[in-house]
Amino acid sequence: SQQGEEDPQALSIQEGENATMNCSYKTSINNLQWYRQNSGRGLVHLILIRSNEREKHSGRLRVTLDTSKKSSSLLITASRAADTASYFCATAAIKAAGNKLTFGGGTRVLVKP
Amino acid sequence: DVKVTQSSRYLVKRTGEKVFLECVQDMDHENMFWYRQDPGLGLRLIYFSYDVKMKEKGDIPEGYSVSREKKERFSLILESASTNQTSMYLCASSPQGWDRGLGTQYFGPGTRLLVL
């Protein structure tokens, strides 16, 4: 099973509303990252939060991390049509076989004008 | 800006063909990665490399090999393409640092491969 599981799998909101998506994971992490993917394109890094941080902001994005619950949330405030995309969380963990990111299945967000 | 380019956006190949997917990054990054992306499964790591001529298996290396002869270039090879390798392939790179392999990754636009 995947290390990061996003919830919900899909989200439809009106422009101007806030969008919240969650990510749960199973094992200890070094950091957690959120990426955005526009349809059929590569991923773009949004924000990285380290395991000793609880909250981080970047523009209209707010990320929280609760290591006791092994979960993170991404909030997009005042959404715009351009925020329509898939959002992925990725957990970064130190592994004997090599440090790597493990991605979840993503949340598809549709922002209606 | 970091730029990661992939040789093709779309590729159609026949079963049994040898397929080369090329990835080039222009930011002198030490780390490079190949993922495949399938609906509902997220991204799965195929191979990665921390340095020239170095390669490490990811989570799903079967049926694939890689080559890293130059720092900026990381090639993914499908020795004998099969229909179950139809997928979106994404290349990424990241700079070296204390958090080797744990930091921000920069992705290319992806190659959609269809194997008939």
Side-chain angles (χ1 to χ4, degrees):
Chain A
S1 61
Q2 298 171 60
Q3 165 73 320
E5 301 274 355
E6 285 95 338
D7 170 61
Q9 289 189 330
L11 186 57
S12 180
I13 55 174
Q14 292 294 137
E15 205 165 24
E17 293 180 341
N18 295 341
T20 300
M21 60 210 85
N22 303 295
C23 172
S24 60
Y25 57 93
K26 296 183 174 68
T27 62
S28 296
I29 61 172
N30 176 278
N31 67 72
L32 187 145
Q33 302 174 33
W34 286 90
Y35 288 80
R36 184 187 73 230
Q37 183 180 37
N38 291 94
S39 180
R41 309 293 295 186
L43 276 71
V44 175
H45 180 259
L46 295 175
I47 200 163
L48 181 154
I49 185 165
R50 299 194 186 281
S51 59
N52 61 354
E53 296 175 311
R54 292 297 166 256
E55 188 171 313
K56 209 159 181 182
H57 296 254
S58 177
R60 293 184 295 112
L61 305 180
R62 174 179 167 250
V63 169
T64 61
L65 179 64
D66 187 335
T67 52
S68 66
K69 294 181 179 178
K70 292 186 168 57
S71 67
S72 174
S73 67
L74 170 66
L75 167 68
I76 305 172
T77 59
S79 63
R80 305 167 181 168
D83 294 328
T84 293
S86 291
Y87 293 82
F88 294 87
C89 71
T91 51
I94 297 172
K95 303 277 187 189
N99 303 339
K100 60 180 184 177
L101 299 186
T102 303
F103 287 81
T107 294
R108 293 188 313 278
V109 175
L110 172 64
V111 181
K112 293 181 277 189
Chain B
D1 276 353
V2 176
K3 192 163 184 184
V4 180
T5 57
Q6 295 183 229
S7 50
S8 306
R9 289 300 313 280
Y10 301 95
L11 212 50
V12 180
K13 295 292 181 181
R14 297 243 174 239
T15 302
E17 277 192 81
K18 191 168 186 175
V19 182
F20 292 88
L21 302 182
E22 304 282 339
C23 175
V24 177
Q25 49 93 6
D26 67 357
M27 283 301 290
D28 203 35
H29 285 173
E30 286 79 6
N31 307 325
M32 296 189 76
F33 309 84
W34 273 108
Y35 296 90
R36 64 176 283 176
Q37 182 180 23
D38 302 287
L41 296 179
L43 277 70
R44 293 180 290 167
L45 182 63
I46 305 171
Y47 267 97
F48 59 102
S49 169
Y50 288 152
D51 203 350
V52 176
K53 295 196 185 297
M54 183 193 168
K55 60 184 178 184
E56 297 286 347
K57 292 180 179 179
D59 298 319
I60 51 164
E62 297 77 19
Y64 303 93
S65 62
V66 289
S67 171
R68 186 134 183 234
E69 295 296 318
K70 292 185 178 181
K71 190 176 186 179
E72 67 271 17
R73 188 181 298 268
F74 192 35
S75 303
L76 180 69
I77 304 152
L78 286 65
E79 295 289 342
S80 178
S82 63
T83 54
N84 63 12
Q85 292 179 310
T86 291
S87 188
M88 169 77 132
Y89 289 88
L90 291 161
C91 174
S93 71
S94 70
Q96 193 64 287
W98 68 270
D99 56 353
R100 170 170 159 164
L102 300 175
T104 299
Q105 292 186 11
Y106 299 85
F107 282 82
T111 296
R112 282 200 183 278
L113 173 66
L114 172 62
V115 183
L116 301 173

